[in-house]
Amino acid sequence: MGKLESSPAYLRHSPHSLPWHAHITALTIAPPARRLGLARILSQSLEHAGDESDAYFVDLYVRKSNEIAIGLYKGLGYSVFRRVLDYYSDDATPGAEEGKGEDAYDMRKPLKRDKDRKHVRENGENFEVHPEDVW
């Protein structure tokens, strides 16, 4: 499931506002259908729609502990743009502090419109923001 979106007009002055982009809301493949390239096909479909709609990038959020998904997305050309602290209200990692949420990675893949690569960065894991800064 994906969509094309941007931050609301009244928030566009914020340093964390988002320009026109595609967003992967959910990408789930049933276990028997995994390793068939379906995640690649689905993400490429949204990337194509983003390019056709002149979007800057495709983004998604993934749990910091979900190493398999992070590896998949990196293999598809995504990189970590920023770490959103306590994004998920339930931290499922072993030894997690009670009442603390799990961090998310905001991962992005630039599209044709972002020729200068302004909407991606290196070492995004080190760029921390709070959930209220994400629109």
Side-chain angles (χ1 to χ4, degrees):
M1 186 165 56
K3 60 185 173 181
L4 290 155
E5 65 180 355
S6 66
S7 293
Y10 67 89
L11 293 174
R12 293 207 182 114
H13 65 280
S14 164
H16 300 294
S17 76
L18 297 175
W20 187 242
H21 68 284
H23 176 75
I24 295 176
T25 307
L27 178 58
T28 304
I29 307 295
R34 291 183 183 157
R35 307 200 60 76
L36 298 175
L38 298 174
R40 178 177 301 280
I41 291 167
L42 291 169
S43 63
Q44 285 175 339
S45 176
L46 185 59
E47 292 162 18
H48 177 72
D51 274 331
E52 290 294 311
S53 297
D54 207 23
Y56 285 97
F57 57 87
V58 179
D59 76 345
L60 59 93
Y61 293 90
V62 62
R63 287 180 182 271
K64 184 181 165 207
S65 64
N66 193 343
E67 295 175 9
I68 292 172
I70 292 167
L72 166 75
Y73 294 126
K74 284 185 176 182
L76 295 175
Y78 290 77
S79 61
V80 177
F81 180 74
R82 59 188 173 179
R83 188 168 96 212
V84 184
L85 303 173
D86 301 328
Y87 183 78
Y88 295 100
S89 60
D90 61 329
D91 187 344
T93 55
E97 185 179 322
E98 182 74 26
K100 184 172 170 37
E102 183 175 356
D103 295 350
Y105 285 144
D106 174 358
M107 298 186 75
R108 296 183 181 183
K109 181 175 182 176
L111 296 177
K112 292 176 188 174
R113 183 175 182 181
D114 192 10
K115 292 176 181 31
D116 297 328
R117 302 299 190 246
K118 290 182 180 180
H119 301 284
V120 293
R121 66 166 61 103
E122 299 219 6
N123 303 316
E125 295 88 348
N126 301 325
F127 189 85
E128 299 174 351
V129 297
H130 296 278
E132 59 269 17
D133 295 325
V134 177
W135 295 295

